[in-house]
Amino acid sequence: MIYIMNGHTATWRGCARAAGVLLLLALFQGCSREPGGAPTIVATIPPLKMILQEIVGEGATVACILPPGASPHTFELRPSVARALAEAPAVFHVDETIDGWVARLAPGRVHSVFALLPEEDRLPYETAHCVEDEVHDHEAEPGAWNAHFWLDPVAVQSVLPGIVEILSRLNPENAETYRANADRFSETLDALNREFDAARPKGAEYTLAAFHPSWTYFFHRYGIVVSAHIEPFPGREPTPQTLETIRNVLARSDHRIILSEVQLPGKPAEVLAEMLGTRVTVVDPLGGSPGQDTYAAFMRTNANLLWEAFQ
C-alpha cells in the first residue's frame, strides 16, 4: 500500500494537503505494522519515498508527508499529521537544513538519509551570486553542506547500504529482500547515470541562471556550470537590483538558460525571461506527481527538460 499526495496548482496543492492529512491519519489508525509484520515507514519528501519504496518493495507501507508541489522549507505541518507521526515506527528525512522540523515529532525514530552519504561525496552549499556584474561563488555558512543529494543517482547509490541496514533492524526477517531490492535499484541507478552522462551537453556555450541550489549534485555530476542563482535561499526573494545584475550577466550570452522550480515562486524567473526575451524551463526537484512517482521516471522527466534547454 503506497500513499501519494497529488497537486501542482495552488488549488490542487490545497486539496493534496487536505488529502494527505486524511491519508496519514488512516495510515496510522491501528496500523503500525502490515499484516505480515512489516513496519509502516514515513518519508518527509517524495524522492525519499521513491527511494525507500524501491528497497522495501511490497514488504512495507511507505507514506509521504509532503504532497507534490510543496516545499519542505515552507511546509506547514498540521497538528493532526504531527499526532499521526508520533505513532510511526520510523521516519526518514533528509537533514536538519531541509526538513529538520520532523525530528522533534518522532524522537528516536527519525533517520537522516543525508547522514548516510559519505563525507567525501558531499558538496558544500555554494551559491553563484552576481555582485557588480561579476559572478562569485559564496558559501551559505562556513562548512555548510548542500543536502540535495537525491538529484544525483550516484549519490543515491551511496546511501543505499545505510538505508538497508536501518530497515533490516526494523524488520530483520526481510533483510535479505531489502538487500536484493537495493542491488536491483543500484543497477537502475547505474543505467540512469550512464544515460544522463551520454545525453549531457558537451562543448555547448551557454549562461545558466538556476533558481535555487537544489540541482547542485546533478550539475556537478554532469559538468554543468551555473552562473547565478536567482533565489539562493528559500523565502529570500531577489531585489530588483539583483535581478538587473543577473540580467546583465545573462545578456552577455547568446544562449541563455533560466530555470524555475515547481515549489518556489516563479515570478522572479519570469521577470528575468521577459527582460531578455527568452523562456523559463520549469523543473521539479521533488517530483511525486503522476508520471513522476518512481525515481527513474522522476529523474528522466527532469533530465529531459534540462537537456532540451541546452539545445
Side-chain angles (χ1 to χ4, degrees):
M1 189 184 304
I2 302 169
Y3 293 85
I4 296 288
M5 308 174 198
N6 299 315
H8 277 294
T9 65
T11 300
W12 280 105
R13 282 179 186 148
C15 292
R17 290 189 180 97
V21 171
L22 295 175
L23 286 171
L24 277 171
L25 287 174
L27 179 63
F28 294 115
Q29 285 176 350
C31 186
S32 63
R33 283 185 173 266
E34 290 287 281
T40 295
I41 57 178
V42 175
T44 52
I45 62 174
L48 293 187
K49 183 257 172 223
M50 299 174 206
I51 294 166
L52 287 163
Q53 195 62 63
E54 292 282 354
I55 299 173
V56 301
E58 299 300 319
T61 298
V62 181
C64 185
I65 297 175
L66 261 70
S71 169
H73 298 288
T74 58
F75 182 70
E76 295 181 7
L77 192 68
R78 300 191 179 198
S80 51
V81 176
R83 288 193 297 271
L85 280 171
E87 300 180 26
V91 179
F92 288 81
H93 79 131
V94 182
D95 84 328
E96 61 181 14
T97 67
I98 291 181
D99 49 9
W101 40 263
V102 78
R104 60 183 173 80
L105 301 174
R109 290 168 288 122
V110 175
H111 305 278
S112 166
V113 181
F114 183 66
L116 304 176
L117 186 69
E119 187 165 321
E120 60 268 22
D121 296 333
R122 301 177 189 180
L123 297 176
Y125 196 103
E126 293 180 344
T127 60
H129 287 277
C130 297
V131 181
E132 296 178 353
D133 287 352
E134 295 294 333
V135 179
H136 302 280
D137 285 335
H138 174 68
E139 282 194 348
E141 295 178 8
W145 295 116
N146 187 322
H148 299 80
F149 76 94
W150 65 85
L151 293 166
D152 173 8
V154 178
V156 172
Q157 278 184 309
S158 296
V159 303
L160 296 185
I163 294 176
V164 168
E165 181 179 346
I166 293 169
L167 291 172
S168 297
R169 288 200 303 266
L170 286 172
N171 194 24
E173 59 268 34
N174 276 359
E176 287 300 322
T177 298
Y178 298 149
R179 281 191 284 272
N181 288 345
D183 288 343
R184 280 192 291 271
F185 185 38
S186 183
E187 292 176 1
T188 298
L189 295 171
D190 269 332
L192 282 174
N193 179 47
R194 291 193 300 270
E195 177 183 326
F196 297 158
D197 186 62
R200 69 183 175 91
K202 300 175 179 68
E205 294 185 4
Y206 60 88
T207 303
L208 170 63
F211 199 93
H212 178 66
S214 53
W215 291 90
T216 297
Y217 283 81
F218 184 91
F219 291 151
H220 181 266
R221 176 66 56 192
Y222 302 111
I224 305 301
V225 177
V226 179
S227 297
H229 286 104
I230 299 169
E231 188 175 300
F233 308 101
R236 300 185 195 176
E237 292 192 15
T239 64
Q241 180 181 4
T242 297
L243 287 178
E244 177 63 20
T245 304
I246 297 174
R247 186 202 72 82
N248 290 338
V249 171
L250 290 170
R252 297 170 183 164
S253 172
D254 292 331
H255 189 179
R256 307 149 188 159
I257 302 171
I258 301 175
L259 300 183
S260 184
E261 296 182 2
V262 170
Q263 291 77 18
L264 300 173
K267 189 63 176 177
E270 293 167 6
V271 169
L272 269 176
E274 186 175 347
M275 288 178 176
L276 293 160
T278 189
R279 67 185 181 90
V280 175
T281 297
V282 181
V283 288
D284 184 352
L286 294 176
S289 58
Q292 292 194 62
D293 51 5
T294 68
Y295 185 82
F298 155 63
M299 288 298 294
R300 281 195 177 103
T301 297
N302 283 287
N304 288 340
L305 287 169
L306 289 166
W307 299 155
E308 182 180 346
F310 283 91
Q311 301 302 314

